[in-house]
Amino acid sequence: MIRFILSYILLILLCQCSDSASSPSPFDRIDAMCDNNPQRALAMLDKIDGSDLPDEDRHRCDLLRIKANDKAFIRHASDSLILDVINFYSTRKDSHLYPEALYYAGRVYSDIGDYPAALSYFKKSLHLLKEHDLPDLKARALSQSSNLLIAMRQYPGAIEYAGEALRIDSAAGDPVCVMFDLERLGQAYLHNRNYDESEDCFLKARAIASEFSLPDSIDHLTYIAAIKYHQNRLDSAMTLIRKVLPHGDSASRATALEYAAEIFRCADMPDSATIYARQLIESEDFHNQKVGYMSLLSDQLLNIVPEDSLTQYSRLLSNAASDCINESLDMEMSLRNNSFGQSSASLATEASGSRFPWLAVAIAAALILLVGLIFFFIRRHAHRHAEASGGEEAPPCASAVDDSGYAAIADADVADNDTRASLQTKLSGDAIGYAEANGYRYAISHEILRSEIYLTLKSKASHEIAIETDINAWDQLNDYVELQFPQFATSLHILTRGQCTPDELRLAQLTAIGLSPSQIATLSNRSRSAISCRKDALMKKMFDGQLPNRYFEVIIALIKTTRPA
């Protein structure tokens, strides 16, 4: 009883702090305080003993505590309090506090990692907000939904939600919220490969940040550099990312390092890429570590990573993946325990049912990563063995590759495994020997470089014109390669056991006439990383995983030299 009296005395004192006869209630004043000074709001709430308050006031206090914690960036760890609040306000659906309670339920489940449940609560809040004039809350629910959809890789939906939030905040004239909306929309466009729209968003956000001297401006440069990277404009990407790296907080710097490692790796600057990748693996975040390790273990960086470091990296990556699985399991058990005894609402049942697929996804992703790593080292070991044995037998190559013997092999029966093995042995031996003597790039003849097809495709690439659906352009390329190198397609057919896809054949043909990976990516409307993956897949088919894709250009040059018997 004494605590009850003291609590109400405090509320009366809060009411008397205002000179106006029509001053808001103490709870309304604490509510307003949450936006500007959430720490003070929490201090005021700590002085109120909610156990002796009437249900209406007690649940308002609980909702305000959740709101103040959220505004103070204190991570929510349990759903028990918000579920009790929702159960109470569900019987008062005409109140504006019910959609607000649903919104903060979404925030709680976002923090504890249950994205489907969080999205469900945001959607329920948005549905009710149609009947209430609360544009600020609606914009926040839309923005949070967009964040979740980006995390769940549902980019078209994220674009729709972020665009609606931008319209509301623009009408309200809040430049800071508009800037955040533009950032969110720009990220969704970037992931959805709408690069021009994404760049426009980040340039507008950067203009707002510069006008109000906000630190977010440096993050915008990171994403603009990422856009240039995805557009294969590596020079621009490198210029921008160099400006970003010395600045920013730890989170924004980690994002910049991720893109820096990829940009410099694709720009054939392995030393710089290695420096940034090594900084990533020092992070405590598993995602950053994974990106760093995978960069260091890529074909472009393998040559400059010491042997003992590779063993160490494999062990550390395995440990990090194991920690990630254990963390997911711990969170899942915590979520299970929190949901026990919650007989309140169907929302609790719905949320609980949506958690378990995310655990399966996390475990499956980590296991796939580990299996891929194990396969990588098995393949690498096999390649080194083949390289060591082949290096002794293969004669040193000069600037030109001896093409004797290819024609007879290429003309043999495709189904003959011995024929394939002979072609594999000769090609791999000569490729390794040539690479050791001359590097991994093979000179293209002046005749090819002056050809109409080469000049046409080079011009299209320089003007960023894709020929992905241009059948005539592909037909011209195919006719030229067949005319100049009659056994080219046959040799690929032999090496891949007839499993060379049309896209892989086109990649080989574009390489055969001397186009660079960046040009091929532009013409194919793919990223450079996608082209690298396609090279890797074709090399695996041709050499059973024993010759990495850094030999790709040399192998293609050797295959071109086949002649009819």
Side-chain angles (χ1 to χ4, degrees):
M1 185 67 181
I2 294 176
R3 288 182 298 179
F4 176 80
I5 293 172
L6 290 175
S7 296
Y8 265 89
I9 290 174
L10 177 61
L11 294 178
I12 292 171
L13 290 174
L14 288 171
C15 288
Q16 292 176 344
C17 289
S18 173
D19 295 330
S20 172
S22 59
S23 61
S25 73
F27 293 119
D28 289 338
R29 296 184 68 246
I30 295 175
D31 195 349
M33 198 182 297
C34 286
D35 290 321
N36 302 319
N37 195 340
Q39 289 82 6
R40 186 182 175 196
L42 286 170
M44 299 297 294
L45 290 168
D46 286 339
K47 296 177 182 179
I48 300 174
D49 183 2
S51 60
D52 290 327
L53 295 176
D55 279 353
E56 184 78 32
D57 293 339
R58 178 172 63 83
H59 286 95
R60 182 74 190 278
C61 275
D62 288 342
L63 178 57
L64 286 172
R65 184 175 299 280
I66 294 169
K67 179 176 181 177
N69 280 326
D70 194 69
K71 295 288 187 179
F73 302 104
I74 298 173
R75 194 173 185 83
H76 304 289
S78 171
D79 60 356
S80 56
L81 188 61
I82 190 62
L83 287 176
D84 181 52
V85 170
I86 288 174
N87 187 45
F88 175 79
Y89 283 111
S90 64
T91 61
R92 296 161 175 78
K93 294 185 178 180
D94 57 334
S95 169
H96 72 278
L97 294 176
Y98 184 46
E100 186 172 21
L102 290 170
Y103 168 81
Y104 282 105
R107 290 292 305 122
V108 168
Y109 281 106
S110 293
D111 276 0
I112 61 180
D114 192 348
Y115 292 173
L119 192 60
S120 174
Y121 281 113
F122 286 136
K123 286 183 176 180
K124 291 177 187 295
S125 177
L126 287 167
H127 178 73
L128 290 176
L129 283 169
K130 295 176 182 178
E131 304 171 9
H132 299 273
D133 186 21
L134 298 169
D136 177 65
L137 183 60
K138 183 176 182 180
R140 281 186 285 147
L142 288 164
S143 298
Q144 293 296 328
S145 297
S146 179
N147 283 337
L148 291 176
L149 289 168
I150 291 173
M152 297 166 70
R153 302 187 179 186
Q154 297 181 23
Y155 305 125
I159 291 170
E160 179 183 353
Y161 278 89
E164 182 63 24
L166 177 60
R167 284 187 284 274
I168 294 174
D169 287 328
S170 297
D174 187 335
V176 176
C177 286
V178 168
M179 183 191 73
F180 289 138
D181 292 333
L182 286 167
E183 289 178 6
R184 199 171 291 110
L185 185 58
Q187 290 180 38
Y189 275 133
L190 174 60
H191 290 300
N192 204 49
R193 299 183 180 180
N194 302 112
Y195 300 130
D196 292 338
E197 294 88 343
S198 179
E199 184 173 6
D200 182 60
C201 288
F202 283 115
L203 287 173
K204 290 178 179 177
R206 181 168 167 75
I208 295 173
S210 300
E211 181 180 354
F212 291 90
S213 300
L214 298 173
D216 300 75
S217 179
I218 200 68
D219 294 336
H220 303 152
L221 274 184
T222 299
Y223 286 106
I224 295 172
I227 292 166
K228 303 299 184 187
Y229 161 69
H230 287 293
Q231 292 175 326
N232 297 307
R233 298 164 67 181
L234 296 180
D235 289 341
S236 298
M238 284 189 289
T239 300
L240 291 171
I241 206 69
R242 284 192 178 108
K243 294 180 180 179
V244 171
L245 289 169
H247 307 286
D249 57 25
S250 57
S252 60
R253 178 169 170 77
T255 303
L257 285 171
E258 288 183 25
Y259 283 114
E262 285 300 294
I263 289 168
F264 285 96
R265 182 174 66 85
C266 291
D268 293 326
M269 299 178 65
D271 292 333
S272 297
T274 300
I275 291 172
Y276 300 129
R278 283 175 175 163
Q279 292 181 40
L280 278 172
I281 66 176
E282 295 173 1
S283 168
E284 295 182 358
D285 182 81
F286 173 70
H287 173 74
N288 296 335
Q289 293 174 3
K290 181 192 72 174
V291 173
Y293 286 128
M294 298 314 291
S295 292
L296 289 167
L297 296 173
S298 65
D299 285 340
Q300 292 92 331
L301 304 188
L302 269 178
N303 287 336
I304 63 175
V305 177
E307 178 69 25
D308 55 346
S309 295
L310 287 174
T311 304
Q312 180 187 16
Y313 292 157
S314 65
R315 184 179 68 254
L316 291 173
L317 181 56
S318 176
N319 292 340
S322 178
D323 290 343
C324 181
I325 293 174
N326 291 333
E327 184 178 343
S328 298
L329 288 170
D330 290 342
M331 180 177 289
E332 185 62 28
M333 291 304 101
S334 175
L335 289 171
R336 277 176 176 264
N337 293 334
N338 283 336
S339 66
F340 287 159
Q342 296 293 339
S343 59
S344 55
S346 60
L347 282 175
T349 304
E350 178 184 342
S352 177
S354 67
R355 293 169 182 154
F356 304 105
W358 283 90
L359 174 64
V361 170
I363 292 176
L367 289 176
I368 289 171
L369 182 63
L370 286 174
V371 170
L373 184 64
I374 293 169
F375 174 79
F376 164 79
F377 279 102
I378 292 174
R379 189 188 71 173
R380 189 175 192 279
H381 175 75
H383 163 62
R384 284 189 167 177
H385 177 73
E387 196 171 32
S389 60
E392 295 176 358
E393 298 174 3
C397 288
S399 59
V401 176
D402 177 21
D403 64 358
S404 61
Y406 284 108
I409 296 172
D411 284 335
D413 189 348
V414 171
D416 189 350
N417 289 331
D418 291 338
T419 301
R420 180 173 182 265
S422 299
L423 186 54
Q424 280 182 326
T425 300
K426 183 158 185 63
L427 284 170
S428 60
D430 283 356
I432 293 169
Y434 179 86
E436 290 176 352
N438 303 281
Y440 296 97
R441 298 281 179 165
Y442 190 83
I444 304 297
S445 70
H446 292 294
E447 180 184 355
I448 295 176
L449 297 179
R450 289 194 295 265
S451 66
E452 181 181 352
I453 185 66
Y454 172 80
L455 294 174
T456 299
L457 294 181
K458 181 183 177 183
S459 175
K460 287 181 180 292
S462 65
H463 290 88
E464 299 185 0
I465 300 173
I467 61 169
E468 184 182 17
T469 58
D470 189 342
I471 297 176
N472 290 332
W474 291 120
D475 286 344
Q476 291 171 14
L477 173 66
N478 188 65
D479 292 343
Y480 179 81
V481 173
E482 282 191 358
L483 178 64
Q484 297 295 321
F485 321 114
Q487 292 295 77
F488 188 82
T490 303
S491 296
L492 285 175
H493 194 69
I494 292 171
L495 289 166
T496 62
R497 294 193 177 94
Q499 296 177 9
C500 182
T501 67
D503 284 342
E504 290 167 347
L505 176 59
R506 288 172 175 176
L507 169 63
Q509 290 172 334
L510 290 169
T511 304
I513 66 169
L515 293 171
S516 69
S518 295
Q519 292 169 330
I520 294 173
T522 300
L523 293 170
S524 305
N525 197 23
R526 298 288 185 271
S527 67
R528 277 199 57 167
S529 58
I531 297 302
S532 180
C533 291
R534 192 168 291 173
K535 285 183 183 179
D536 197 37
L538 185 52
M539 288 294 285
K540 286 177 183 176
K541 289 181 181 180
M542 291 192 293
F543 296 97
D544 304 317
Q546 297 186 19
L547 203 63
N549 71 6
R550 63 177 177 271
Y551 291 98
F552 185 76
E553 281 78 8
V554 179
I555 288 295
I556 294 301
L558 292 169
I559 293 175
K560 286 192 308 181
T561 60
T562 60
R563 294 291 185 270

